Amino acid sequence: MRLLHTSDWHLGRAFHRVNMLDAQAGFIDHLVTTVREREVDAVIVSGDVYDRAVPPLAAVELFDRALHRLADLGAPTVMISGNHDSARRLGVGAGLIDRAGIHLRTEPSACGTPVVLADRHGEVAFYGLPYLEPALVKDEFAVEKAGHEAVLSAAMDRVRADLAARAPGTRSVVLAHAFVTGGEASDSERDITVGGVAAVPAGVFAGVDYTALGHLHGCQTITERVRYSGSPLAYSFSEADHRKTMWLVDLDADGAVAAERIDCPAPRPLARIRGELAELLADPSLARHEQAWVEATLTDAVRPADPMARLTERFPHTLSLVFDPDRAPDDPDVSYARRLAGRSDQQIAEDFVAHVRGAGPDEDEQGVLRDAFDTVRADAVVREVAR
């Protein structure tokens, strides 16, 4: 069975004020063409279809057109909700849409109930694990401590139990939206850390033939059977070096996996340039970036006059301007943002406690801080979904 694995469409998202809807429509065209020309048997979309719980109407219309086009091709499609989606909204009408071969899996309680497709070698069971927010699903999965590994492990126990009851030789595919250990993050993914831990081990997905992951925006192979497709478009300058692709996966009669990367069309290349303004404007080696979307980091000791206007004369598609003067890290003039770069909310809070009272928090206090951050984040998720 030939599968096309994609995820993280983020329909409705902008890129530094640039409306990406046309680029997203171009990706949908490419997806449909690939399904037709490469004779794809099933499309799998591993979450974050939309960029937010209440997407703009234009994004909903684009999604609707995509579903109609995939249904017209006769290629079954299995989709799950991600941490950016409202599972309840995305799942509206799922029972009816099933009849058209579009299978939306957004209910945590249905993790162990697969979509079953067949080819000449037999059946393939597709299990959809939507994004499982630990604080919201811990009761459903009867776990004592709300954490990503605990709820995903419980969900996968249901998958393996169902699979064990099926005919010998039934092949299996799991769709999941999670941060798996070994994956490399970028700046455009929303933090899903719970209890100080964001990642789960790949071993959680043991026992299935292929795990199609979503959430991280870079295409990555965790193991031969566990892969991220990544987002089809770049959504931050941290993705400037990404090769945006989908996975074309062939699942043979015995469940062995062969995978090929299918490149996605890019509306414009991305470039990150750094140096003093005069150098950036004069450097001939930067000519290749003149038509790219540009993030420029200026290292001038003193902020130059009209930097954006001057940059856009040479780089007309400059979208982001960062000031980062070359200074030693302990220089008192180093910016607050630079001092905090790469530090988690937990670390920043612990640093604040140490600054105020002269000693950092003890283990119990660290736990209180973690619980507070987890509660606020979970509450934000609930409020967003309820909008």
Side-chain angles (χ1 to χ4, degrees):
M1 183 171 287
R2 174 163 286 182
L3 315 174
L4 188 63
H5 167 200
T6 179
S7 72
D8 295 272
W9 294 359
H10 288 279
L11 300 181
R13 185 166 185 157
F15 181 75
H16 288 272
R17 306 180 308 280
V18 175
N19 189 316
M20 295 291 283
L21 203 65
D22 287 344
Q24 291 168 339
F27 161 69
I28 297 298
D29 291 342
H30 173 67
L31 173 74
V32 170
T33 298
T34 301
V35 171
R36 182 176 60 249
E37 293 183 351
R38 300 301 298 268
E39 299 180 336
V40 170
D41 297 307
V43 178
I44 45 184
V45 186
S46 299
D48 282 354
V49 173
Y50 292 120
D51 188 57
R52 56 182 186 266
V54 185
L57 179 59
V60 177
E61 291 173 339
L62 177 58
F63 180 58
D64 181 62
R65 292 196 299 272
L67 296 188
H68 277 84
R69 295 174 70 182
L70 289 169
D72 288 345
L73 288 174
T77 300
V78 185
M79 296 183 170
I80 61 172
S81 50
N83 61 301
H84 280 249
D85 299 309
S86 165
R88 293 176 65 184
R89 284 188 173 86
L90 187 63
V92 168
L96 185 62
I97 296 172
D98 260 359
R99 302 179 188 178
I102 305 294
H103 308 284
L104 300 175
R105 293 296 180 261
T106 64
E107 289 291 336
S109 60
C111 284
T113 304
V115 175
V116 180
L117 305 177
D119 62 9
R120 58 192 175 90
H121 301 298
E123 293 186 338
V124 180
F126 292 79
Y127 297 90
L129 278 57
Y131 173 67
L132 302 175
E133 173 59 47
L136 303 183
V137 302
K138 63 183 180 67
D139 293 337
E140 166 65 32
F141 292 105
V143 297
E144 292 184 6
K145 187 174 181 180
H148 289 292
E149 184 173 356
V151 297
L152 272 172
S153 295
M156 283 301 301
D157 286 343
R158 295 187 184 183
V159 168
R160 284 184 283 264
D162 180 85
L163 190 57
R166 295 186 176 274
T170 299
R171 290 158 291 163
S172 54
V173 175
V174 164
L175 290 74
H177 197 87
F179 191 160
V180 174
T181 303
E184 183 177 344
S186 60
D187 292 343
S188 52
E189 296 121 7
R190 183 179 294 170
D191 181 30
I192 59 171
T193 300
V194 174
V197 178
V200 299
V204 165
F205 301 104
V208 298
D209 294 311
Y210 184 71
T211 299
L213 294 173
H215 180 58
L216 299 185
H217 287 186
C219 181
Q220 301 170 61
T221 300
I222 305 301
T223 72
E224 285 303 304
R225 296 185 181 275
V226 180
R227 300 171 187 261
Y228 283 99
S229 67
S231 60
L233 297 166
Y235 292 114
S236 73
F237 278 102
S238 66
E239 301 169 51
D241 294 330
H242 286 190
R243 175 187 165 198
K244 294 300 184 181
T245 59
M246 303 177 285
W247 283 114
L248 189 69
V249 177
D250 286 318
L251 199 63
D252 75 7
D254 299 318
V257 170
E260 173 190 350
R261 291 178 72 177
I262 304 295
D263 288 291
C264 296
R268 193 177 295 277
L270 272 60
R272 303 177 103 172
I273 60 177
R274 179 185 179 91
E276 294 186 359
L277 179 58
E279 296 172 351
L280 299 182
L281 296 178
D283 188 347
S285 70
L286 299 180
R288 66 187 188 280
H289 299 317
E290 290 177 354
Q291 295 307 311
W293 280 325
V294 169
E295 179 186 72
T297 300
L298 301 185
T299 61
D300 301 71
V302 177
R303 184 173 300 206
D306 300 322
M308 181 61 90
R310 294 164 67 186
L311 274 168
T312 54
E313 288 181 4
R314 183 179 187 190
F315 306 102
H317 304 288
T318 301
L319 299 181
S320 176
L321 183 58
V322 180
F323 294 96
D324 187 17
D326 285 332
R327 296 190 176 106
D330 57 353
D331 188 317
D333 289 332
V334 169
S335 72
Y336 182 68
R338 183 173 173 182
R339 293 198 301 271
L340 296 185
R343 301 186 67 75
S344 68
D345 290 343
Q346 176 85 16
Q347 291 170 322
I348 294 169
E350 291 177 8
D351 289 348
F352 176 76
V353 172
H355 173 74
V356 169
R357 74 179 186 191
D362 60 27
E363 187 174 338
D364 290 339
E365 291 169 332
Q366 289 173 351
V368 170
L369 288 171
R370 275 195 300 272
D371 290 344
F373 282 121
D374 290 347
T375 300
V376 169
R377 189 185 53 78
D379 182 64
V381 172
V382 172
R383 285 188 285 106
E384 183 174 1
V385 171
R387 285 170 58 195

